[in-house]
Amino acid sequence: MKIGIPRGLLYYEFEFMWKEFFKELDIEYIISPDTDKDIYQAGVNKAIHESCLPLKVFLGHVEYLIGKCDYILIPRIGTFGFYDRMCTRYQSTIDLVYNTFRDDNIKILPFNIDYSEGEKQIKSFVKMGKFLGKRRGQSILAYRKARILNDYIVSEKEAKMEEKLNSDNIKILLVGHKYNTLDSFSGSIIMNYLKKMGVEIILATDMDSKKADFYAKELTDTMPWTLNRELLGSILKYKSKIDGIILISSFNCGPDSMANEMILRKFKDIPILNLVIDGQEGVGGIETRLESFLDIILFKKEGGLFG
Ligand code: SF4
């Protein structure tokens, strides 16, 4: 049996845990490749026009996997905590995929987390194991190993983040969902350009999510979307150690447009570049905006008009 994992949306939240879990249970898996023009275009062809870019990209990855595996793993995340909310697109991904590919006889391996319904993370893994014919004990053991590995990776990332914050280079906090910043189609233009310019890139998502959520409460305890709150928490924690912030969001994203508007209004004393990516923009346009932004930061660092 082979499981297909689409490299999009919440893949970036669970990738290490899923891989370790399947490895421990001796289940073969295939991950769709980095997003390229073909995958993007396949997703665009399948999605309704109003979809956000990451959902289109995700559907492109699902299409890539059809015929290459027995089941395609599709996550559905309702809530991560009892009072939290997630974007409705994470909540409806399974239904969306079923409907979009109804003529392809697609077989889905569901992964469902919803704390408000008592579906905690461990239960979701155990259910997935059961679906694949594994005993409860085996799945719990595999889950624990996956969790340990994931916690280790998170702490390593945080340690590297702290190292970068001590660098003398320009330090930019990249604030965006992992499926935007880490995707080879959406985020790579920005990452590659900043790296080329010798900028220290600090990913807001490298901060431990629980800590980030705690820091966010300094500014809001009413923002409903868990992942946006975590991004906000990272800004609050690191704002005094960075030279600028780049907000990366996708065209048609409701939660990001509201959360980022709040960030732009609340953090007036730090340069912020708000980039909305739509998959159509050429490299040139983005690079020009990044270049101007870095000029502003350098100017400010060197003391501005009075330096
Ligand atoms: S948070 Fe925004 S980008 Fe992410 S799935 Fe929801 S609408 Fe799309």
Side-chain angles (χ1 to χ4, degrees):
M1 178 184 320
K2 198 193 274 183
I3 306 300
I5 308 179
R7 192 187 292 266
L9 285 180
L10 297 171
Y11 160 79
Y12 294 97
E13 300 295 326
F14 295 102
E15 60 168 312
F16 302 112
M17 291 194 73
W18 285 338
K19 286 194 270 187
E20 187 67 7
F21 182 75
F22 291 136
K23 193 186 99 195
E24 283 299 319
L25 292 180
D26 208 15
I27 293 169
E28 204 183 335
Y29 62 82
I30 166 181
I31 302 171
S32 55
D34 286 341
T35 312
D36 57 17
K37 196 91 188 153
D38 292 341
I39 288 179
Y40 163 73
Q41 199 52 53
V44 169
N45 294 345
K46 284 286 177 189
I48 57 165
H49 184 63
E50 293 75 20
S51 298
C52 61
L53 174 64
L55 182 61
K56 289 176 181 165
V57 168
F58 185 79
L59 293 177
H61 281 275
V62 173
E63 176 148 301
Y64 173 90
L65 289 167
I66 290 175
K68 297 184 176 72
C69 55
D70 300 294
Y71 290 96
I72 301 183
L73 194 170
I74 307 289
R76 173 192 173 269
I77 312 295
T79 57
F80 268 136
F82 292 101
Y83 304 107
D84 287 10
R85 287 286 164 270
M86 298 292 276
C87 168
T88 48
R89 300 217 161 115
Y90 309 145
Q91 295 179 28
S92 55
T93 323
I94 293 181
D95 302 317
L96 274 164
V97 170
Y98 259 130
N99 271 320
T100 307
F101 296 98
R102 57 185 172 275
D103 297 331
D104 295 286
N105 293 324
I106 184 171
K107 284 199 206 151
I108 288 178
L109 169 61
F111 177 80
N112 183 35
I113 294 184
D114 196 339
Y115 278 61
S116 64
E117 300 284 328
E119 297 280 340
K120 294 188 179 178
Q121 188 163 269
I122 183 165
K123 202 167 165 187
S124 317
F125 275 89
V126 171
K127 272 193 173 175
M128 199 160 62
K130 190 175 174 193
F131 188 98
L132 298 168
K134 301 294 173 183
R135 291 192 313 275
R136 182 180 161 78
Q138 280 178 296
S139 296
I140 290 178
L141 203 62
Y143 168 76
R144 293 216 169 110
K145 289 195 174 165
R147 187 69 199 259
I148 289 168
L149 176 76
N150 194 63
D151 290 350
Y152 171 75
I153 290 169
V154 169
S155 64
E156 284 286 290
K157 278 186 183 170
E158 259 202 326
K160 282 204 183 106
M161 196 175 182
E162 293 292 340
E163 261 174 46
K164 285 183 183 179
L165 288 162
N166 290 325
S167 158
D168 291 330
N169 295 340
I170 291 181
K171 293 173 285 261
I172 303 278
L173 187 68
L174 222 51
V175 178
H177 298 294
K178 290 179 195 172
Y179 46 77
N180 283 331
T181 55
L182 300 180
D183 183 84
S184 57
F185 189 73
S186 311
S188 65
I189 301 172
I190 299 162
M191 295 279 244
N192 291 344
Y193 183 81
L194 292 176
K195 277 184 202 156
K196 194 173 81 186
M197 300 308 284
V199 169
E200 215 61 74
I201 306 167
I202 295 136
L203 289 173
T205 45
D206 278 351
M207 186 178 178
D208 176 80
S209 54
K210 282 203 171 65
K211 285 190 214 162
D213 201 15
F214 171 79
Y215 277 95
K217 292 199 169 57
E218 196 182 299
L219 199 61
T220 175
D221 51 11
T222 53
M223 184 187 280
W225 308 289
T226 314
L227 299 186
N228 288 90
R229 262 201 334 269
E230 290 168 9
L231 294 172
L232 179 64
S234 183
I235 297 178
L236 285 159
K237 168 86 167 101
Y238 295 114
K239 64 179 191 293
S240 61
K241 297 183 175 180
I242 51 172
D243 300 300
I245 295 170
I246 298 180
L247 304 173
I248 303 178
S249 60
S250 312
F251 182 65
N252 263 358
C253 173
D256 282 5
S257 62
M258 292 182 75
N260 289 354
E261 186 59 32
M262 183 176 108
I263 290 167
L264 288 167
R265 288 174 191 219
K266 293 283 179 188
F267 299 93
K268 297 263 191 213
D269 52 347
I270 185 159
I272 302 179
L273 175 64
N274 189 17
L275 284 178
V276 182
I277 43 182
D278 66 359
Q280 304 294 332
E281 199 168 352
V283 179
I286 290 183
E287 287 192 351
T288 306
R289 295 190 64 195
L290 289 170
E291 188 182 0
S292 315
F293 184 60
L294 292 181
D295 283 346
I296 292 168
I297 288 177
L298 264 179
F299 184 67
K300 196 168 177 253
K301 246 175 127 56
E302 285 162 5
L305 286 174
F306 307 105

